[in-house]
Amino acid sequence: MDFSFTEEQSMLRDTVASYLADNYDFDKRRAALAKAPNWRPDVWKAFAEELGILGAPFSEELGGLGGGPIENMVVMEELGKALVVEPYLPTVVIGGGFLKHSGYAGAADLIGGIIGGQNIFAFAYAEPQGRYNLADLTTTAKKDGAGYVLNGHKAVVIGAPYATHFIVTARTAGGQRDAQGVSVFLVERGAAGVSTRDYPTVDGFLASEVYFENVSLGADALIGPADNGLPLVEKVVDEAIAATCAEACGVLRRLQEGTVEYTKQRKQFGVPISSFQVLQHRMVDMFINLEQSISMTYMATIKLSDDAERSKAASAAKVQIGKACKFVGEQAIQLHGGMGMTDEMAIGHYFKRATMIASAFGSVDHHLSRYEFLSLGQAA
Amino acid sequence: MNLDFTPEENAFREEVRAFIRDNYPAELRKAQDEGRQLTKEEYLLWHKVLAKKGWVAPGWPKELGGTGWTPTQKYIWSEETAKADCLPILPFGMSMLAPVIYTFGTDEQKKKFLPDIYNGDIWWCQGYSEPGAGSDLASLKTKAERITADDGKEYYIVNGQKTWTTLGQYADWGFFLVRTDPDAKPQSGISFLLIDMKTPGIEVRRITTLEGGHEVNDVFLDNVKVPVENRIFHENQGWTCAKALLAHERTGIAGVARSKRNLEKLRKIASTERSDAGGSLIGDAFFRRKVAELEIDLTALEFTELRTLAGESSGKGPGPESSILKIKGTEIQQRLQELALEAVGHYGAPFLRDLRGSNLGVGPEYADGLAGEYFNGRKTSIYGGSNEIQRNIIAKMVLGL
């Protein structure tokens, strides 16, 4: 048993951390998000060219660093600490995940483009009616000669305004919620019939409603097996969940440490408010939540390669992280008092991100239900 | 003990309903439905309608313009106005300052200030908290020195900074706690001053809250000259006024009627939203359990408030038990906001504006701004004496610990 990081992994962490410390402090982030293009292509370029981290989980033959889920975890935790909005998760973890696991013919080229920073992916899976059910799809891809015609509306697609490629889940057979009949497609942004409605999210990201209207796709747009793409989607989403949990650990750490720091400085009744036992215990509970979250993130990340345990582990971790995001986030604001309510302090921005992570890829309820089913079977 | 309403009370309820239906300002309704920031004039529209009717100040003594309603009538009033989504009457003048003036003020002060408060002609703001004085309000440092000016009159010269001044950007006048005796014990050297916000030396500066709104402000006071006759009660005894005001702030804070209405909204949203299995979300075992628990919590709060009201009508003022109402009331408000956000799933994420700055939301209309309300709602367990302070009050004043 060994929970230590390799020298390469530690170096990767240091590289990302020191770049973000120099280039991505809170004020720079806020200034960049407030004006067009509302994200930082220069940072993305640096991730590709200066840091080389966009190749972290890809093999050396593909031009990557030869890592995997642990490397994603290391990077995502650091991105979480700085509230980075640039699309590592949708591009490297999710786009890269689909390309790696599907045996897709054009994968090597596309991954090369990810590593080089030219290809940016957005994952168009959620639908207005579908909540967190990955199989609840009204988007359809109908067979048309050798290819397909895609129609549908995808909701809140993170990173879509500047993505070059969409990974789209669509129904090719079966009923609206059937596990069978789900297929995955690669759609280029410029394809005729693709339109977006772009907006910022409450935690500073960009997202879109994405509409597909009679989009003509070649046979080579299909990623993974026709009609039986759901297991692939679940695998990649489990990887995305583990990576999001890692991001949350970075966010939670900042919330917890920032609160301890603030209460030591803030004086009321002639003493630092950190001297009040009721606040000490609250901060201890925040700390316990953080530590439990780190443990579950390690667990889920390690089990990503174990197909029998993977989904259960991912859901278990997401339940822990969802609860921790709520408790730690809310208490961080409470213990900062009025200052926690202001836009000028970073703490509120970490709270907003934590709130969004709590329901990303499924709420606590969703993952509790999934865990129950996987662990205990169907309810009586 | 009984819970029935008398025929007279039921008739009163009908009268209230009809009055709201026939007199609630249409333009205000429209602005509320659009969910935009109200203008100063819009904030006061309903107030002025009620002032004309004589119903704007249910909490005041009858001889000063109060309605003379029984506690049950007041309860019916708050329930019906919340059900109809009437804009709450701004509390600063009406329920925070006025009781201080009619309890501690001189006849002249009552004559000068109460009619304008009643009619909504003057917008008041509160100058209590300071950057270094929040929960520990008595440690406030804003200084007022008494001088005799060239005109032979006495003034206070006020210097300092106030913060979290709600809607201070609209205020005509403010009520301030200032230190008039720097050598006395913290609570004994404070005075209660009314200050015209147009006095030279006052600057109101916006604080943007985490959801992006402009609700609170910093107020800077730089050699602000205030006539001594604008002091309420004795010099150095302003803390007595402040304490009375805080008790009033606590009783209104339970917000039972409004939470009931928001619970209805939540049930509606959850009936429209789909669960993972495709049924309605309100039919989802997990979600309905949480809604049911919240309804039960709210019922407990409602009956605790009713018991408090009944106590008041038998002559007891709002005691330290009212801290229970503040704690549970705000916890329930926050839980409602949290569940509403949870109910809308992915559509909790979009920010109100799109990139072109238009106000059209995406997703269902009811999802607009729910995340912002949840973020903004965190203030309720912080303001008006944080919930930790409220627990201290109960521990000390009720349990005698």
Side-chain angles (χ1 to χ4, degrees), chain A residues 79-145:
Chain A
L79 299 184
K81 286 182 192 165
L83 294 178
V84 170
V85 301
E86 282 66 34
Y88 187 92
L89 178 79
T91 301
V92 177
V93 179
I94 298 175
F98 274 108
L99 295 170
K100 270 200 292 191
H101 301 315
S102 61
Y104 185 68
D109 278 354
L110 285 162
I111 288 173
I114 288 177
I115 296 170
Q118 301 87 17
N119 291 348
I120 295 178
F121 283 71
F123 185 29
Y125 71 104
E127 298 193 356
Q129 83 295 336
R131 204 164 182 82
Y132 304 116
N133 182 346
L134 299 170
D136 189 331
L137 298 171
T138 59
T139 297
T140 57
K142 292 223 165 69
K143 204 77 181 126
D144 180 41

Side-chain angles (χ1 to χ4, degrees), chain B residues 289-304:
Chain B
R289 172 67 52 98
K290 290 189 281 199
V291 175
E293 282 182 344
L294 188 54
E295 279 196 35
I296 293 167
D297 257 9
L298 182 53
T299 305
L301 176 66
E302 181 181 14
F303 276 78
T304 304

Side-chain angles (χ1 to χ4, degrees), chain A residues 192-371:
Chain A
V194 178
S195 61
T196 65
R197 167 110 205 263
D198 304 342
Y199 49 82
T201 61
V202 293
D203 52 346
F205 285 66
L206 291 179
S208 307
E209 299 299 288
V210 182
Y211 304 93
F212 303 103
E213 202 181 339
N214 294 321
V215 178
S216 242
L217 300 175
D220 61 351
L222 181 70
I223 297 180
D227 296 346
N228 195 22
L230 191 58
L232 172 64
V233 174
E234 289 194 321
K235 185 179 170 75
V236 175
V237 169
D238 285 340
E239 291 176 346
I241 287 170
T244 302
C245 290
E247 182 194 356
C249 289
V251 173
L252 292 169
R253 185 175 290 287
R254 286 283 186 262
L255 284 164
Q256 186 264 325
E257 290 177 351
T259 303
V260 168
E261 205 43 52
Y262 181 81
T263 57
K264 280 156 81 175
Q265 284 165 19
R266 171 72 176 170
K267 282 193 178 148
Q268 290 284 271
F269 307 102
V271 293
I273 62 172
S274 60
S275 63
F276 298 127
Q277 194 174 42
V278 70
L279 301 191
Q280 288 176 354
H281 285 191
R282 202 86 56 78
M283 287 187 277
V284 169
D285 286 338
M286 290 168 74
F287 178 69
I288 292 172
N289 263 280
L290 166 66
E291 288 298 323
Q292 298 274 74
S293 297
I294 295 170
S295 303
M296 289 300 261
T297 300
Y298 285 7
M299 185 279 297
T301 305
I302 291 165
K303 292 201 172 182
L304 283 176
S305 54
D306 177 352
D307 277 340
E309 291 286 317
R310 188 199 71 227
S311 293
K312 208 170 93 175
S315 280
K318 193 69 205 327
V319 168
Q320 165 63 36
I321 262 73
K323 290 181 174 174
C325 280
K326 177 175 150 49
F327 179 78
V328 176
E330 290 180 350
Q331 292 308 325
I333 299 301
Q334 183 71 20
L335 271 55
H336 275 76
M339 287 310 292
M341 291 299 300
T342 62
D343 181 61
E344 88 184 71
M345 272 196 87
I347 203 82
H349 298 259
Y350 284 96
F351 167 53
K352 290 194 276 188
R353 181 65 193 138
T355 303
M356 289 296 114
I357 288 177
S359 62
F361 302 107
S363 60
V364 168
D365 281 3
H366 170 86
H367 284 291
L368 259 178
S369 300
R370 186 172 181 238
Y371 184 93

